[in-house]
Amino acid sequence: MPPRPQPSGGSSNRGARGRGGARGGGPPRGPAIPAGRGAPVAKGGLPDASTHITTVGVKRTAFGSSGRAITVHTNHFEVKIPDGNIYHYDVILPSEKALPARLNMEIIARLQTVTAPQVFTPRAVYDGRKNMFAARELPFGPSKAQEFEVTLVDPPSPGEVARGGRPPKAYKVKLKHVATINPEVLSRFLQGKQSHDNAVLTAITALNVVIRMEPSLKYPFNVRSFFTDREQKDIGSGIVLWRGYFQSVRPAIGRMLINVDISTGAMYKPGPLLRIAAEVMGPSYNLTKLTGDPRSRVKLQRFLSGVRIVVEVPGQPQTGRRPPRVVKRLTAHSAKDLKFTNRQGQVQSVEEYFQQVHNYQLRHPQLPCVEVGTGALLPMECCTIFAGQIMRKQVPPERTKDVLDFATKKPADRLNSIRAGLGVLAYGQSEYVRQFGLMVQPNATPVSLQARVLDPPVLQYGQGSRQLTIKPRDGAWNMIDKKFFRPATINRWCIAVFERKPRFNEGPVDELVRGLLQAFASVGITVHENDPVCHWAEGNTDVPAILRNAGGACFQKNGKRGGPDLIVAVMPESSSELYMRVKHFGDITQGVATQCLKSTKCYRAKPQYFANVCLKINVKLGGINTIPDARSVPVLTDPHNPTIVMGADVIHPAPGADGRPSFTALVGNVDSDTAKYIADCRVQTSRQEMIDDLEEMATGIIKMYQGYRTGVEKKPGNPKRVIFYRDGVSEGQFAHVLEHELPQIKRACAATGVQAKITIIVVGKRHHVRFFPGQSDADRSGNCPAGTVVDKDIVHPTEFDFYLHVLYDENNFTPDSLQALSFALCHVYARSTRSVSIPAPVYYADIVCSRAKNHYDPEGGMDFEGSGVPLDQQQQSDALQAFKAGFRPLSANMRRVMYFS
């Protein structure tokens, strides 16, 4: 055996931090398609109105009709559902810990093909976790349950001592029949004559497991996507991208569809671990420094943790199949210095062990060792990463552009790839698809349907504009000859330059000031100081001190009348840590607006650049850029029904990032025009999707709304409607929103004396539904025009759904009014003069979540990325408590403005 270290105490290493990872629950609720072939549907696609047909969200009572009609194709293909019963079995794998889905799939595959093939004829399908589905009842007798023992025979790995004749590990698998699914319930659900209950959910799950079974056995997979090496791209940093295919069976109005899309998988680059390590650390880094450089070693460890390697002793013949080992951590000591006690009671180093047992002299004894899951210690030079392993962690920020370049395709190219994907998926050749009676025509074409393009709202600008109102065209407009609706005033301001002075000296600073002053004047921002103080960091790394010095100089220059209203910070490239420090100082510590500019962008910038910067500065200082014209969106700005629009989101740590918290955000408007928003951000238990502090957060926003209405607008303070847009929840969590979050909103209204009608809408972003317009209807990029809405055919069979899913609606909005309202809110996103793809409050909540780490003192030692090594339960709890204790609230000054813009 390779050497193992002596047992040690608990590790303080922590998992990686990131936004990645699924948000829980099952696949998003499916689109639908025109009710063509398939079962007859009542009342033109509307569900049965009787009360015995229950839904989780609001039952659909009508379709929208406003806007102009266009025809689009979508990435859905019709599928015939089975006629025969499906038998559902619970899979119990007795184990002290959950096994990886990949290993579970191997165990069940071996069970069906080697251990008990006579039982599984035809073969059943399995989801890698708890669910097995069979096309016929398995012969388990009256108990309807059976236990099996499965072995995955692995010979000893090369260079390791055989295990003394011990038998291979046996896995006990118990199967128990839990339900028989009659596809008739699914057929009735598609017709709108069946409630959306557990039987329907299980039937849809079964069909998804059926279509995924074949590719899951052949290719690397990640829940609903699998990846092939037919199209790949090496992006450096030890990462290679593979093209993948997403597939999901979705219920539609009157029929079932398969949603097919292309996807991208970040894979570990295969090859000798030493070569990959050198690539991760960069060409200028000497790997021999790793043992004395904890920070770099943890960076490499974070990347490698969880990857499977095979042991290959250079120069020695390969014998048989090598069992892969999972990398746990890198050792702090080198192979030369790392000592252990062998089975004979002798103390020796890893280097000496390999010389003695394997007759191999290490070439790099000064490098750390790899500790694998079993505790064995392996020299880095004897480890090889094999192909086809998905990297289930966040891609480094510097590689994000490469991923986007690979993943992004023009609409026409994407549709062609999806059509080609049907050949890769080869539904007709899958024994599983055939035996369950699913059928997709081999020459199936993407479903086409009618969409509508809504009219954009008219936007209103401020006094002094050449045109007070403007109607966006193709989702865009510009600020030429326009003043902000409510421009801010800057009494005093200053500049802090963190770029090196030779690169950004007095000349560029003067140009920057001139550019900003001209932009301020053009948009109506009043400035009382034309020669702001400028302070260079000059190599000083104490960011708060630099900003205080700049602010202090501004205070002195202006006769001690006050500090700056705005600090402009000029930043070098790759300055994410510096950015965090500036924002912590401005938003949390001092309560002053900060605007960061990259030196390369603001150097000799054009007026358009400074105009875009003004969009952000104005709202940070309390101004309002533009509002929807009341006459164009009466449902949103009805003076008889004052409205608070809220957006909420939760962000979770990356997979494997133990002890890292989740962060929650709530934003809401305080003005009558739903254009001026404030935000609240909190920290809560890791990976918990429901928002714990929603009542307190909503109460605070309602009070701020009441104060602004009465104090600034001089109008009655109480809202009569609350529209709550919720991001980030999957279909399986819709009921939880109604059970856990709706009551909190109601209590917040009661606590503030508000009697408002509430509407809750879930914004679906992480679906794979794509629409492809005809050439005459497409915008310049080939996409659907801004304002395209689909609420028929490929939406939920029974619920009010247009990719914004209405869960609760006391306001009884019509489809047209709610769609117009939501589209109008896509135009009040302060940071651009384009409509965005989701209502602005949700977009803002997403931004507030992503900035949550700015609430921590940068000098406080909070580790957001961790070491990649799993923590035990106590360590996770301790780490979480530390994050909760270290979270600092927003400065009182920032609570009244859009600091997050």
Side-chain angles (χ1 to χ4, degrees):
M1 295 284 292
R4 300 170 191 272
Q6 297 297 324
S8 61
S11 165
S12 62
N13 294 331
R14 295 170 179 158
R17 164 79 172 84
R19 181 171 177 86
R23 302 219 182 181
R29 234 174 224 174
I33 298 201
R37 300 184 302 278
V41 182
K43 293 192 296 182
L46 295 177
D48 191 322
S50 6
T51 54
H52 74 276
I53 305 298
T54 59
T55 55
V56 177
V58 174
K59 188 183 290 188
R60 180 186 294 110
T61 57
F63 295 107
S65 59
S66 63
R68 64 182 175 91
I70 63 170
T71 299
V72 296
H73 285 88
T74 181
N75 56 336
H76 290 75
F77 301 86
E78 196 164 350
V79 58
K80 176 187 172 293
I81 62 177
D83 297 321
N85 286 347
I86 297 173
Y87 298 89
H88 182 197
Y89 292 85
D90 195 17
V91 181
I92 302 167
L93 289 150
S95 174
E96 59 281 358
K97 60 179 181 179
L99 299 175
R102 169 196 50 77
L103 180 56
N104 288 341
M105 293 295 288
E106 286 181 29
I107 292 168
I108 297 300
R110 192 166 182 89
L111 167 65
Q112 297 200 82
T113 56
V114 177
T115 308
Q118 71 286 357
V119 172
F120 300 95
T121 308
R123 290 178 197 161
V125 298
Y126 174 54
D127 70 351
R129 292 295 176 206
K130 296 281 291 177
N131 298 295
M132 177 182 279
F133 299 97
R136 72 174 183 91
E137 190 166 5
L138 299 178
F140 290 167
S143 69
K144 296 194 173 186
Q146 191 163 332
E147 196 166 291
F148 302 88
E149 207 166 79
V150 182
T151 58
L152 300 175
V153 179
D154 288 326
S157 63
E160 289 193 0
V161 180
R163 298 172 181 167
R166 284 183 296 174
K169 181 171 181 177
Y171 297 92
K172 288 185 178 180
V173 180
K174 184 178 181 181
L175 302 179
K176 182 180 180 182
H177 179 261
V178 288
T180 299
I181 303 162
N182 184 343
E184 176 63 22
V185 299
L186 199 50
S187 179
R188 289 179 56 77
F189 174 63
L190 300 176
Q191 297 169 48
K193 297 178 180 178
Q194 164 79 33
S195 297
H196 190 210
D197 56 17
N198 195 53
V200 169
L201 286 171
T202 306
I204 295 169
T205 299
L207 299 186
N208 274 304
V209 176
V210 169
I211 65 165
R212 292 171 192 154
M213 185 68 182
E214 186 100 7
S216 294
L217 294 171
K218 288 182 178 176
Y219 306 104
F221 65 92
N222 188 5
V223 192
R224 285 162 282 165
S225 292
F226 66 91
F227 307 94
T228 80
D229 58 1
R230 297 182 187 190
E231 187 183 346
Q232 56 177 289
K233 178 184 179 182
D234 184 344
I235 61 169
S237 298
I239 302 168
V240 59
L241 303 178
W242 283 18
R243 180 72 67 214
Y245 294 93
F246 168 94
Q247 51 177 349
S248 179
V249 176
R250 305 288 183 107
I253 298 176
R255 57 182 168 177
M256 288 299 288
L257 303 164
I258 293 186
N259 176 208
V260 177
D261 196 16
I262 55 173
S263 57
T264 299
M267 321 293 286
Y268 284 100
K269 187 174 180 179
L273 190 140
L274 267 186
R275 191 176 73 207
I276 307 303
E279 192 173 300
V280 172
M281 299 309 294
S284 62
Y285 189 82
N286 184 345
L287 293 179
T288 58
K289 295 179 181 176
L290 283 171
T291 53
D293 181 0
R295 186 169 183 175
S296 296
R297 188 174 68 251
V298 166
K299 175 188 174 182
L300 179 58
Q301 175 176 280
R302 196 181 297 131
F303 176 81
L304 292 174
S305 65
V307 72
R308 291 179 292 149
I309 51 101
V310 289
V311 184
E312 294 182 348
V313 179
Q316 295 191 4
Q318 312 302 319
T319 57
R321 178 177 176 267
R322 305 243 169 84
R325 304 299 189 88
V326 179
V327 173
K328 186 176 180 182
R329 59 163 61 91
L330 297 178
T331 60
H333 296 96
S334 68
K336 182 178 181 179
D337 298 327
L338 189 60
K339 301 286 201 305
F340 71 101
T341 304
N342 64 21
R343 289 181 175 175
Q344 288 73 42
Q346 300 168 324
V347 176
Q348 62 181 160
S349 68
V350 175
E351 179 186 25
E352 291 164 347
Y353 174 88
F354 270 76
Q355 176 69 62
Q356 177 187 324
V357 175
H358 304 306
N359 193 28
Y360 175 67
Q361 177 60 52
L362 297 185
R363 296 171 193 168
H364 305 283
Q366 68 278 43
L367 294 182
C369 290
V370 171
E371 182 185 333
V372 294
T374 59
L377 301 168
L378 303 167
M380 291 177 72
E381 63 195 82
C382 297
C383 300
T384 299
I385 298 174
F386 56 88
Q389 297 187 68
I390 300 172
M391 194 182 83
R392 302 178 194 274
K393 52 192 75 168
Q394 200 172 30
V395 172
E398 65 271 16
R399 298 295 173 201
T400 303
K401 184 179 183 301
D402 298 304
V403 176
L404 291 174
D405 290 344
F406 182 78
T408 305
K409 281 180 177 275
K410 291 181 180 177
D413 295 339
R414 190 181 196 99
L415 185 56
N416 288 335
S417 292
I418 289 165
R419 285 191 175 109
L422 275 191
V424 179
L425 294 163
Y427 292 119
Q429 296 167 33
S430 164
E431 63 169 300
Y432 303 101
V433 172
R434 287 201 311 270
Q435 73 201 18
F436 275 85
L438 277 173
M439 187 182 296
V440 181
Q441 296 297 334
N443 57 349
T445 56
V447 166
S448 67
L449 63 140
Q450 192 176 83
R452 292 174 291 115
V453 181
L454 303 180
D455 279 343
V458 173
L459 302 177
Q460 188 176 333
Y461 278 89
Q463 295 300 321
S465 303
R466 181 178 291 182
Q467 286 178 277
L468 276 180
T469 59
I470 185 171
K471 192 165 189 175
R473 185 173 179 178
D474 298 326
W477 62 100
N478 62 55
M479 282 289 299
I480 295 171
D481 295 327
K482 294 181 189 66
K483 308 290 185 186
F484 286 144
F485 177 74
R486 184 164 292 139
T489 297
I490 301 173
N491 292 307
R492 297 165 296 279
W493 60 304
C494 61
I495 298 172
V497 182
F498 293 92
E499 180 62 277
R500 291 189 295 124
K501 195 165 186 178
R503 288 191 177 185
F504 209 89
N505 55 26
E506 288 85 349
V509 167
D510 289 343
E511 282 185 17
L512 170 64
V513 170
R514 277 198 301 275
L516 282 171
L517 289 173
Q518 288 168 6
F520 290 154
S522 70
V523 297
I525 293 176
T526 303
V527 185
H528 293 305
E529 183 177 21
N530 292 330
D531 55 341
V533 164
C534 181
H535 194 79
W536 277 266
E538 299 278 27
N540 184 353
T541 57
D542 187 346
V543 173
I546 295 161
L547 296 173
R548 280 198 181 91
N549 289 343
C554 174
F555 178 74
Q556 294 293 336
K557 173 180 176 290
N558 286 279
K560 300 183 179 181
R561 288 191 300 274
D565 300 318
L566 170 71
I567 299 176
V568 175
V570 179
M571 318 284 271
E573 284 294 319
S574 304
S575 51
S576 56
E577 281 194 23
L578 177 58
Y579 175 87
M580 212 168 110
R581 291 167 190 271
V582 171
K583 290 300 172 186
H584 182 79
F585 177 85
D587 296 345
I588 311 300
T589 306
Q590 202 65 30
V592 59
T594 53
Q595 181 60 55
C596 295
L597 307 176
K598 279 194 174 176
S599 61
T600 51
K601 300 280 187 185
C602 65
Y603 179 66
R604 293 186 175 172
K606 294 182 178 177
Q608 182 62 51
Y609 172 83
F610 291 113
N612 289 339
V613 170
C614 285
L615 293 172
K616 302 178 74 174
I617 289 175
N618 189 55
V619 295
K620 286 176 182 176
L621 295 172
I624 298 174
N625 294 351
T626 183
I627 63 167
D629 184 67
R631 290 163 298 183
S632 73
V633 202
V635 70
L636 185 61
T637 52
D638 178 0
H640 302 295
N641 285 294
T643 302
I644 289 188
V645 182
M646 295 181 181
D649 194 13
V650 181
I651 183 174
H652 302 300
D658 296 342
R660 298 302 175 285
S662 292
F663 295 105
T664 63
L666 183 69
V667 302
N669 63 297
V670 293
D671 66 325
S672 300
D673 303 302
T674 62
K676 181 181 173 67
Y677 290 84
I678 60 170
D680 197 354
C681 181
R682 303 290 176 97
V683 59
Q684 72 176 27
T685 301
S686 183
R687 298 189 176 85
Q688 177 183 303
E689 184 56 54
M690 295 301 108
I691 301 174
D692 271 344
D693 295 334
L694 183 59
E695 180 182 344
E696 190 179 334
M697 296 162 85
T699 300
I701 284 176
I702 294 171
K703 285 180 177 177
M704 294 285 273
Y705 174 91
Q706 291 168 326
Y708 189 88
R709 289 262 305 180
T710 55
V712 178
E713 295 183 343
K714 310 301 182 188
K715 296 176 179 178
N718 280 354
K720 292 188 177 177
R721 298 187 300 197
V722 174
I723 303 173
F724 181 77
Y725 287 94
R726 179 66 158 88
D727 190 14
V729 292
S730 66
E731 180 183 61
Q733 296 165 322
F734 285 178
H736 297 164
V737 173
L738 295 174
E739 292 161 8
H740 187 79
E741 296 185 350
L742 173 60
Q744 293 193 71
I745 299 170
K746 288 184 172 181
R747 290 197 297 269
C749 289
T752 50
V754 168
Q755 291 182 318
K757 293 181 177 178
I758 298 168
T759 297
I760 295 181
I761 305 161
V762 171
V763 179
K765 287 191 310 188
R766 298 194 172 196
H767 56 69
H768 281 261
V769 177
R770 301 289 182 265
F771 298 116
F772 304 92
Q775 200 168 353
S776 60
D777 292 316
D779 66 12
R780 284 183 298 179
S781 63
N783 285 307
C784 291
T788 300
V789 63
V790 173
D791 67 352
K792 290 184 179 180
D793 304 329
I794 61 162
V795 289
H796 192 277
T798 59
E799 298 187 11
F800 189 173
D801 167 33
F802 53 103
Y803 296 95
L804 277 71
H805 204 111
V806 186
L807 290 191
Y808 188 80
D809 184 25
E810 292 178 336
N811 290 292
N812 294 320
F813 284 115
T814 65
D816 281 335
S817 62
L818 196 52
Q819 289 163 11
L821 181 156
S822 298
F823 186 40
L825 288 170
C826 294
H827 292 77
V828 297
Y829 183 63
R831 294 163 75 162
S832 69
T833 53
R834 295 189 66 87
S835 61
V836 288
S837 58
I838 56 175
V842 185
Y843 213 135
Y844 290 146
D846 187 87
I847 293 169
V848 172
C849 272
S850 67
R851 292 168 57 121
K853 60 185 178 183
N854 297 345
H855 286 257
Y856 292 92
D857 183 351
E859 307 304 325
M862 301 305 292
D863 180 7
F864 288 96
E865 295 183 316
S867 65
V869 176
L871 306 181
D872 63 34
Q873 206 162 4
Q874 186 58 51
Q875 289 170 329
Q876 288 186 40
S877 176
D878 292 346
L880 196 57
Q881 287 308 313
F883 273 100
K884 286 184 174 181
F887 188 86
R888 294 186 57 189
L890 205 60
S891 162
N893 292 348
M894 295 293 106
R895 290 177 193 167
R896 296 190 292 271
V897 296
M898 293 169 66
Y899 70 94
F900 45 85
S901 180

